[in-house]
Amino acid sequence: GAVVSQHPSWVICKSGTSVKIECRSLDFQATTMFWYRQFPKQSLMLMATSNEGSKATYEQGVEKDKFLINHASLTLSTLTVTSAHPEDSSFYICSAGQPNEKLFFGSGTQLSVL
Amino acid sequence: DAKTTQPPSMDCAEGRAANLPCNHSTISGNEYVYWYRQIHSQGPQYIIHGLKNNETNEMASLIITEDRKSSTLILPHATLRDTAVYYCIVMENYGQNFVFGPGTRLSVLP
């Protein structure tokens, strides 16, 4: 079945640095991918919709200059957390699916900002 | 906001059936009921989905009431590895913009 791969699984960085997270669709093309964040013991919150070849659509309250999304190909979307701060520490998850098929989720990336 | 309500937590004995309820009283005619689960520190995993007929696959069964205002996910023989948070989501068929509620934290006990 379709698989979504996310990398890295975890990352630790210093405050003020930027971190890039990759989301790949392994055996299908995804014109749309989704990025979520999840704080401990809370549910997933949609951050943005990544659209291949065009600008991402951000949910209300999500800073687009803080969370840069690039969807340059049909199999890869990247989320860059710029100038990360400790409050950005969270579990980040991507999802994708083929049209008229169920949605698959990546394994998630645990970001810890020191 | 999520269109579903679920109990925050449930316990189930290993080997017994786990029945997880979900209320979706405002579901519209073209919306399906999806179930996903999330094991700790992993991404959500698809379980099953349905429109109005009961559905069964290798993982679970989905029972949807005739008025479609509620449903039950059944894990027929729960194992310790089924301990997870279970999310019930209503969405147009194969829609992708999922809105997650808090889900039900199922604990399977030995």
Side-chain angles (χ1 to χ4, degrees):
Chain A
V3 177
V4 173
S5 173
Q6 191 172 338
H7 179 81
S9 298
W10 56 270
V11 57
I12 302 172
C13 69
K14 292 183 178 180
S15 185
T17 62
S18 295
V19 174
K20 180 184 287 188
I21 302 169
E22 293 186 348
C23 181
R24 294 181 184 273
S25 55
L26 295 185
D27 57 0
F28 67 97
Q29 294 181 331
T31 56
T32 304
M33 292 185 178
F34 300 87
W35 288 96
Y36 295 81
R37 66 187 298 181
Q38 184 177 31
F39 292 108
K41 298 190 181 301
Q42 294 187 21
S43 189
L44 287 77
M45 294 296 295
L46 180 66
M47 298 175 65
T49 301
S50 173
N51 303 300
E52 189 270 335
S54 65
K55 292 182 179 180
T57 305
Y58 290 83
E59 296 299 304
Q60 190 173 7
V62 177
E63 300 175 58
K64 61 180 181 180
D65 295 330
K66 174 76 170 177
F67 299 100
L68 300 180
I69 291 173
N70 183 278
H71 195 154
S73 78
L74 287 171
T75 59
L76 174 64
S77 174
T78 61
L79 169 68
T80 301
V81 183
T82 62
S83 187
H85 291 286
E87 57 266 30
D88 298 323
S89 298
S90 186
F91 192 55
Y92 293 88
I93 307 168
C94 69
S95 69
Q98 294 176 279
N100 298 319
E101 295 285 340
K102 56 184 177 282
L103 202 60
F104 290 91
F105 289 80
S107 55
T109 298
Q110 181 63 52
L111 170 64
S112 297
V113 184
L114 304 179
Chain B
D1 291 340
K3 300 178 183 179
T4 62
T5 56
Q6 300 175 250
S9 64
M10 293 182 64
D11 291 340
C12 176
E14 187 180 16
R16 304 297 291 269
N19 299 298
L20 291 88
C22 179
N23 288 323
H24 31 80
S25 58
T26 62
I27 192 170
S28 61
N30 62 342
E31 289 182 319
Y32 283 63
V33 180
Y34 285 80
W35 283 84
Y36 279 75
R37 73 180 183 184
Q38 185 179 26
I39 297 172
H40 182 62
S41 298
Q42 297 182 24
Q45 175 191 22
Y46 169 82
I47 301 173
I48 200 167
H49 77 287
L51 180 63
K52 55 182 178 181
N53 296 323
N54 298 336
E55 302 288 341
T56 296
N57 63 20
E58 65 278 5
M59 291 183 68
S61 294
L62 174 60
I63 308 298
I64 302 174
T65 58
E66 191 170 344
D67 63 7
R68 302 209 323 123
K69 293 185 177 182
S70 65
S71 60
T72 301
L73 177 74
I74 301 173
L75 307 179
H77 304 288
T79 71
L80 299 179
R81 287 177 292 183
D82 292 321
T83 292
V85 178
Y86 287 76
Y87 297 101
C88 169
I89 303 163
V90 296
M91 172 62 63
E92 293 181 3
N93 192 22
Y94 299 120
Q96 299 186 329
N97 190 355
F98 279 20
V99 176
F100 286 83
T104 295
R105 185 173 298 275
L106 175 68
S107 298
V108 180
L109 307 175

